[in-house]
Amino acid sequence: MPELVGDAGLAQYAEAVRLREEAEHVPWKLPRAPRPRFGHSEAPWLPVVSVPISGWGAALSLGLVNLVFLAALVAISLLLLARAYARCCLAVLAPSPAE
């Protein structure tokens, strides 16, 4: 550490201490609030399968059911949307009766 000489050195030291104290009080350095914990009565739920998850077996099996159901839902809806989009494109790009 460099030597502090005279009033200028003392002022620099005081400024460094002040900046350090300010840096310790910035909002992102404040302690975080505790995360909510699920009690025994509040088990997490899956979005599709409305069964409370109480163990690893239920989590893995119902998670797989949830994944398969949502994948099927996305596949069916994408097919319907693609078909509707294709029909709209054909209708818009069809030759006019004047041609």
Side-chain angles (χ1 to χ4, degrees):
M1 183 171 164
E3 288 188 35
L4 301 174
V5 180
D7 291 336
L10 186 61
Q12 287 178 347
Y13 180 73
E15 181 69 14
V17 169
R18 185 187 65 80
L19 289 174
R20 181 174 178 201
E21 288 175 355
E22 283 181 8
E24 291 176 356
H25 297 291
V26 291
W28 56 85
K29 291 238 178 176
L30 294 177
R32 293 183 182 185
R35 295 182 70 182
R37 300 282 183 203
F38 292 112
H40 294 290
S41 62
E42 296 181 52
W45 293 71
L46 290 173
V48 174
V49 183
S50 297
V51 176
I53 299 170
S54 57
W56 280 104
L60 294 175
S61 61
L62 294 177
L64 183 62
V65 169
N66 192 36
L67 179 71
V68 168
F69 181 80
L70 290 176
L73 184 67
V74 165
I76 291 170
S77 62
L78 283 179
L79 288 174
L80 293 175
L81 283 173
R83 185 174 292 137
Y85 178 74
R87 287 183 181 172
C88 289
C89 287
L90 287 175
V92 168
L93 298 175
S96 64
E99 290 181 1

